[in-house]
Amino acid sequence: MDESNSLYSELVGPQNDETAANSSDTNTSSSNVEIMKTYDYQNVAITDIVNSIIIDSINNRASDIHFNPTETGIDIRIRIDGELRLYTQVPDYVKRNMITRIKILAGMNITESRIPQDGAIKQTIQDKAVDLRVSSLPTNLGENIVVRVLDYSMSSQGIETLGFSESNLQKLNKMMGEPNGIILVTGATGSGKSTTVYSILQKLNTIDRNIITVEDPIEMNIPGINQVQVISDIGLTFAASLRSILRQDPDIIMIGEIRDEETAKIAVRSSITGHLVLSTIHTNSALNTIERLLDMNIERYLLGTALTGIISQKLTKKLCPYCRGTRKTNQYEKEIFKKSLNLDINEVYEAKGCDKCHNGYLGRLPIHEVLLLNQSVRDAITNNLKKEELRKLVYGSGTITMLQDGLTKVINGDTTFEELVKAIDIDDSDLTSTGLTESIEESQINKESLKNDETYKKISEKTDSDYEVFNLDFLNK
Ligand SMILES: [Zn+2]
């Protein structure tokens, strides 16, 4: 029981600690957990029940369906807007049949339950075309199955609908207009990177361009694009596929993810030899991405030349437009708004809750940081400038930090301060690491004219900790 509890708390995350603690009492699933559905296991065939669970979860906008084995059966939980909720509890006598049914659907080996397996469900269930990735993991209580719902309907609606601010969208369009170079989309798993990448690809997908992708897995089929599935078992790795792709006269290459040095190097070289390369990488900001690539032994001058732009993103909850209310900002929030955007914000939107949403939120909203590299940032990378200097240049070239983008979205009522704080750590150290102060400072100071100015010198000499409390008001005089 202890094991399953720790699994729970890990999966649910700290915000649901109470749930995890309460679930030590196995049979009374804690009072604050709401079961969404019950099924008639006595009279309905298991195949129909599994189908209904899948379709109902998708209709509830679930991104994942978890079949967690317990001592008394299976707890099915579904993730909606990033949060796991208990969907239903399955009795013990149905446990084995249900797991087997899912494994059959996913094309897995049902005689093997001791090793993890991967599968996929791509068919029409109850008149609905579904595309699901399924994985199994043997635990002490049975096989744990997680079904990932692939839904790329967002990306076919166009890049304009993805929540980019006007200025970030302009930068993005500029990047996409380049004939060569590398565009990287960065963020943690589940931050919506694929949706952004597919949206970009669809925008670039015209008859006069040969677009080839190498992916693992291919998450969405796009007509008019040649998509290659990586099969590492037979040696068709990212790197091997890329080498072949280069002989296929591509204009644009999309690499599912840059995971290793070899892939990174081919990506850089391809972009320098006249291809536009699009890829994702698992980092959390533009600066970290540059460092990560340098760690992969990419030569500085090559990276400085190759990199076109970096789009970093995180997902936060989207405020329900039907029921949102307003409230006064507290002192801390006022300070953050002032420091970050130099705005006096006395009122913000807050979550309420209605029958259209879950606790005041409806769907998810990305927060972005879009870096379009200019010559000085390129030079800084090439010339091995100190990290601090590079940061100043990056955030001084008009790059809006994720915090600034998020706060703007709070002001606009697209999300709340509470949810933004969960997505972005706004403690003092983060204020500097996001380049917050530099961003405003550099964009508002003409460096050349102020080089000898006492004020500029004072800023230049400031250390990290000084920046945290530095008052920027004078910059606007
Ligand atoms: Zn609502």
Side-chain angles (χ1 to χ4, degrees):
M1 209 43 238
D2 284 334
E3 285 86 345
S4 76
N5 271 342
S6 65
L7 175 71
Y8 266 59
S9 53
E10 245 180 68
L11 287 170
V12 178
Q15 70 269 34
N16 280 8
D17 265 344
E18 212 180 324
T19 316
N22 286 350
S23 68
S24 59
D25 195 351
T26 335
N27 291 323
T28 56
S29 79
S30 49
S31 54
N32 57 349
V33 172
E34 179 194 350
I35 290 194
M36 297 171 76
K37 274 280 158 67
T38 47
Y39 288 93
D40 180 1
Y41 300 99
Q42 306 277 3
N43 300 306
V44 182
I46 191 70
T47 50
D48 292 337
I49 290 180
V50 168
N51 285 352
S52 296
I53 289 170
I54 291 172
I55 295 304
D56 191 47
S57 301
I58 295 174
N59 289 342
N60 274 295
R61 299 182 296 108
S63 59
D64 305 82
I65 312 166
H66 294 233
F67 297 81
N68 306 127
T70 65
E71 278 169 342
T72 56
I74 302 173
D75 278 1
I76 300 182
R77 297 182 297 161
I78 61 178
R79 191 181 291 280
I80 301 170
D81 298 342
E83 218 165 77
L84 269 179
R85 299 153 212 259
L86 185 61
Y87 174 76
T88 194
Q89 286 178 317
V90 181
D92 204 37
Y93 70 92
V94 186
K95 189 175 182 178
R96 183 187 283 265
N97 279 349
M98 183 170 278
I99 298 297
T100 303
R101 177 61 196 158
I102 299 163
K103 287 172 76 178
I104 290 172
L105 274 175
M108 292 170 162
N109 180 355
I110 56 166
T111 62
E112 179 58 81
S113 58
R114 297 160 305 170
I115 54 168
Q117 293 186 54
D118 289 319
I121 302 173
K122 207 170 180 177
Q123 54 179 266
T124 303
I125 298 176
Q126 294 181 359
D127 297 326
K128 194 179 180 90
V130 299
D131 195 352
L132 313 168
R133 296 274 177 276
V134 184
S135 69
S136 74
L137 183 71
T139 72
N140 57 331
L141 295 174
E143 282 177 284
N144 194 71
I145 306 254
V146 177
V147 176
R148 178 135 197 247
V149 181
L150 300 180
D151 179 13
Y152 293 97
S153 51
M154 278 291 285
S155 53
S156 26
Q157 289 167 22
I159 207 138
E160 295 78 10
T161 64
L162 293 186
F164 284 98
S165 69
E166 198 51 50
S167 68
N168 278 342
L169 203 55
Q170 277 177 17
K171 286 181 204 163
L172 206 57
N173 281 322
K174 232 177 207 168
M175 284 179 207
M176 291 191 289
E178 295 291 326
N180 51 43
I182 301 183
I183 301 172
L184 289 172
V185 181
T186 83
T189 308
S191 59
K193 291 193 294 269
S194 302
T195 303
T196 303
V197 168
Y198 279 125
S199 300
I200 295 176
L201 273 186
Q202 278 172 313
K203 183 120 187 177
L204 294 171
N205 186 13
T206 53
I207 195 77
D208 57 333
R209 291 181 172 121
N210 181 19
I211 304 180
I212 309 181
T213 74
V214 43
E215 306 174 61
D216 186 22
I218 294 174
E219 298 188 53
M220 176 193 180
N221 294 318
I222 310 176
I225 291 184
N226 302 303
Q227 293 172 277
V228 177
Q229 166 72 52
V230 165
I231 315 170
S232 302
D233 298 351
I234 58 165
L236 193 61
T237 59
F238 271 111
S241 311
L242 277 171
R243 278 191 291 269
S244 309
I245 282 171
L246 286 171
R247 291 191 283 271
Q248 294 262 312
D249 185 29
D251 297 295
I252 297 166
I253 301 168
M254 191 276 263
I255 304 167
E257 189 182 353
I258 294 181
R259 293 179 196 160
D260 56 76
E261 196 174 316
E262 199 182 1
T263 308
K265 283 186 168 158
I266 299 174
V268 166
R269 238 168 254 142
S270 315
S271 73
I272 286 170
T273 52
H275 307 96
L276 186 62
V277 177
L278 185 62
S279 189
T280 69
I281 192 163
H282 198 111
T283 52
N284 55 16
S285 74
L287 271 183
N288 284 346
T289 307
I290 294 170
E291 276 170 20
R292 180 81 207 283
L293 288 166
L294 290 172
D295 283 345
M296 285 177 162
N297 292 319
I298 303 293
E299 308 226 27
R300 290 189 163 274
Y301 74 95
L302 286 179
L303 189 63
T305 312
L307 213 50
T308 301
I310 302 172
I311 303 150
S312 304
Q313 61 184 56
K314 277 182 182 169
L315 285 181
T316 183
K317 284 192 198 158
K318 194 172 184 174
L319 195 53
C320 172
Y322 301 104
C323 63
R324 66 183 181 191
T326 54
R327 64 164 175 82
K328 296 254 174 290
T329 45
N330 63 34
Q331 201 48 46
Y332 172 70
E333 291 161 346
K334 276 189 185 133
E335 224 167 86
I336 298 288
F337 279 113
K338 187 70 183 173
K339 266 187 181 177
S340 175
L341 299 172
N342 199 25
L343 289 175
D344 296 306
I345 302 297
N346 299 315
E347 210 170 51
V348 284
Y349 287 96
E350 68 174 345
K352 292 282 189 192
C354 66
D355 55 1
K356 289 194 176 70
C357 64
H358 288 282
N359 303 323
Y361 296 96
L362 193 61
R364 289 202 280 175
L365 175 82
I367 308 167
H368 299 108
E369 179 186 295
V370 180
L371 167 67
L372 179 65
L373 272 85
N374 60 18
Q375 198 51 49
S376 54
V377 174
R378 289 180 192 285
D379 291 344
I381 295 173
T382 306
N383 298 328
N384 197 3
L385 231 64
K386 279 209 193 89
K387 192 180 167 187
E388 280 313 304
E389 297 293 317
L390 183 60
R391 178 191 289 171
K392 279 187 193 176
L393 284 172
V394 163
Y395 293 108
S397 57
T399 304
I400 294 153
T401 64
M402 233 179 243
L403 179 58
Q404 289 171 323
D405 188 46
L407 288 172
T408 309
K409 284 166 177 166
V410 169
I411 295 171
N412 293 339
D414 298 324
T415 187
T416 58
F417 195 89
E418 290 80 359
E419 287 304 318
L420 182 68
V421 172
K422 282 185 200 167
I424 300 177
D425 211 3
I426 318 184
D427 57 22
D428 282 350
S429 62
D430 218 19
L431 275 179
T432 46
S433 73
T434 52
L436 191 66
T437 343
E438 291 89 331
S439 164
I440 297 164
E441 163 199 321
E442 290 280 342
S443 59
Q444 296 185 6
I445 292 181
N446 180 337
K447 222 167 119 189
E448 286 313 311
S449 69
L450 280 173
K451 233 171 200 161
N452 299 313
D453 186 286
E454 274 307 305
T455 330
Y456 182 72
K457 251 194 219 152
K458 245 163 56 193
I459 301 170
S460 318
E461 285 159 14
K462 290 276 169 193
T463 62
D464 258 9
S465 54
D466 291 321
Y467 276 116
E468 289 159 23
V469 289
F470 204 73
N471 187 349
L472 294 159
D473 286 348
F474 75 94
L475 293 175
N476 299 313
K477 283 175 190 158

